[in-house]
Amino acid sequence: MHFLRLLSAALFAFAASTAHAGPNAGVEIELTRLSPACGLEAGQRIEFLVNARQMEGVRQIKFDFRWTPSGAVSSAVGGTGATTESKSFIAPGPPQIEGDTAGYGIAVFGGNGLSGDGELALLGFEIAPGITPETPLALYLELVSLGPSSTERDTVYPVEAVALANYCDAAGQPLDSGVFIEASASTRLYSSAEEAALSDASQGEVGLVARLLDGPVFAAGTDVTWQVDNPGPGTLYVLTEDSARALAPGTVAELPGMSDRQGSAQLRLDASGQAGETTARVRACAAPRGQDLCDEQLLVWRSPITAVTELGEAARPNESRLRLNYPNPFNAGTELAFDVGALDADYPATLVVYSALGQRVATLFDGVPSVGQQRARWNGRYEDGRAAASGVYFARLTSHRGTQVQRMLLLR
């Protein structure tokens, strides 16, 4: 038991890899799905093998996963693959789930390690209650950290390493292609006119992700065209890290985009208004191999006065909790939020970003929060303005109730 605890600590400590890329920086990772592509629902599993090519002297391996939609996975199991089992690799325990992410590690001590190509691990993620065969599921292998020891691991960010389920047509057959939009929320409250014109995590900001399905994966490096239609009556704002484009009622804008290494093209919107509600009709299109593929989504913003009248005390959270950041992974910045319950409003709290080595990177909140949802945005930089490197970071909320942590992935 003591040996397994030591092994677990070694695998899950994100000690820095060597300053220069090591012999495993170019390892290629792929997933082989074992579960059905269609018809999966609560209680079943998404199962797949993780395979690797061009390894050299690998004795420790750490995998990091995430999934969409939020709450889609209830538990997970893991085991060694055929190759790692033949080399006597062992795992200290099942995948460790935290929010909508999971980590899993395996290792062997002694010998020359694993070199060449091989089957690393067999994973199974149980689908949570509420998920039906009509719910599209995507389970991403975000990164693999591997090498001869915990201090000599190279981090590999696999391109398009995703196990998909229920991306299927009405006949229950896997789709070959398609565009799919996801939004961080379908309904928001208006921001003030000043806040709506800034990328500042104000209450009206909505993050959208468009993904192009091309075969069994989401395609990276693909052109995506966004179309934003503002039927009114409020003003919409298309936000970037340092600018905002205002769309008056009755206007339509087309905006270019491109999918990142995990097949996600991102867009951020905000809105301001006086009363009632305003809407945005958002459309994302791509044209792989001459096809015209699109998806649409309707977003709604409501007046805070109207929302308070309708929701009253029900809108207030009952307990404090740190929410998942969005988007995640992210590049230019990510939005964080935490709920503050009525019994927590008189106590100080801090929200701090730390590196994988425990180094303080940025303080996003330090004070006494009010009841409701507090919002913050991290721009992917240290407090002195330096850009943070690609990798895993942790948002840590500390209050009188204790500490809550969320893992974030920055991809430059």
Side-chain angles (χ1 to χ4, degrees):
M1 183 64 68
H2 178 65
F3 168 74
L4 290 179
R5 284 199 296 268
L6 291 175
L7 174 57
S8 180
L11 286 169
F12 285 89
F14 273 93
S17 298
T18 53
H20 303 286
N24 290 288
V27 167
E28 299 176 6
I29 303 291
E30 65 178 17
L31 305 185
T32 301
R33 187 179 60 204
L34 303 178
S35 53
C38 302
L40 291 182
E41 57 186 342
Q44 296 179 304
R45 287 179 182 171
I46 301 176
E47 295 181 330
F48 54 88
L49 293 168
V50 182
N51 307 290
R53 291 189 294 273
Q54 302 178 20
M55 294 177 289
E56 184 175 331
V58 171
R59 289 195 291 267
Q60 292 197 9
I61 310 173
K62 171 74 164 55
F63 309 92
D64 279 86
F65 300 92
R66 69 176 176 90
W67 48 82
T68 61
S70 179
V73 169
S74 59
S75 63
V77 294
T80 53
T83 308
T84 48
E85 183 177 358
S86 70
K87 293 288 187 178
S88 301
F89 275 69
I90 60 173
Q96 298 181 9
I97 293 179
E98 184 175 331
D100 289 320
T101 64
Y104 181 66
I106 58 177
V108 66
F109 291 91
N112 296 322
L114 182 61
S115 296
D117 303 346
E119 183 182 286
L120 303 185
L122 169 63
L123 281 301
F125 290 81
E126 184 170 325
I127 299 172
I131 301 298
T132 72
E134 288 71 44
T135 308
L137 305 171
L139 201 149
Y140 297 85
L141 176 54
E142 289 191 319
L143 63 85
V144 179
S145 175
L146 70 174
S149 69
S150 61
T151 57
E152 300 175 274
R153 294 200 299 242
D154 287 303
T155 298
V156 177
Y157 300 96
V159 177
E160 302 172 343
V162 54
L164 301 179
N166 297 346
Y167 281 83
C168 305
D169 60 21
Q173 298 301 311
L175 295 170
D176 289 329
S177 59
V179 172
F180 302 88
I181 296 177
E182 295 177 9
S184 57
S186 59
T187 303
R188 290 274 180 145
L189 302 181
Y190 287 133
S191 296
S192 67
E194 295 79 13
E195 291 174 328
L198 296 172
S199 180
D200 58 357
S202 52
Q203 64 184 10
E205 287 189 21
V206 177
L208 298 105
V209 173
R211 296 185 174 93
L212 169 63
L213 179 65
D214 188 11
V217 298
F218 293 128
T222 301
D223 291 328
V224 174
T225 300
W226 293 95
Q227 184 183 80
V228 182
D229 179 5
N230 181 10
T235 300
L236 300 179
Y237 294 85
V238 179
L239 304 176
T240 63
E241 194 64 31
D242 53 7
S243 65
R245 176 178 176 179
L247 300 181
T251 60
V252 179
E254 285 198 355
L255 308 151
M258 178 173 287
S259 58
D260 59 21
R261 71 176 73 191
Q262 292 198 333
S264 300
Q266 300 179 8
L267 182 72
R268 181 168 290 272
L269 300 178
D270 206 340
S272 65
Q274 298 299 319
E277 63 181 35
T278 196
T279 60
R281 295 188 181 95
V282 181
R283 183 178 176 89
C285 297
R289 301 183 303 280
Q291 303 177 81
D292 291 322
L293 304 173
C294 297
D295 191 21
E296 295 184 357
Q297 188 155 139
L298 180 69
L299 303 177
V300 179
W301 286 264
R302 307 171 70 187
S303 163
I305 296 176
T306 303
V308 169
T309 300
E310 293 182 357
L311 300 177
E313 291 300 319
R316 297 192 174 195
N318 294 322
E319 60 183 17
S320 296
R321 71 185 181 100
L322 177 61
R323 294 180 175 271
L324 294 173
N325 64 301
Y326 185 89
N328 191 31
F330 64 98
N331 177 264
T334 189
E335 177 183 308
L336 299 101
F338 62 95
D339 296 329
V340 180
L343 299 178
D344 304 322
D346 295 329
Y347 297 89
T350 59
L351 180 60
V352 180
V353 177
Y354 290 89
S355 72
L357 298 177
Q359 178 185 11
R360 181 187 291 260
V361 176
T363 300
L364 306 182
F365 183 90
D366 187 1
V368 179
S370 56
V371 176
Q373 189 176 95
Q374 306 295 313
R375 307 179 70 80
R377 185 172 176 80
W378 183 42
N379 61 4
R381 294 180 177 274
Y382 286 82
E383 290 175 323
D384 62 7
R386 290 178 295 130
S390 294
V392 174
Y393 294 83
F394 296 92
R396 180 180 297 172
L397 174 65
T398 303
S399 68
H400 76 288
R401 289 185 180 272
T403 299
Q404 299 178 56
V405 178
Q406 293 289 359
R407 186 193 292 121
M408 307 181 292
L409 180 61
L410 172 60
L411 297 176
R412 293 294 186 189

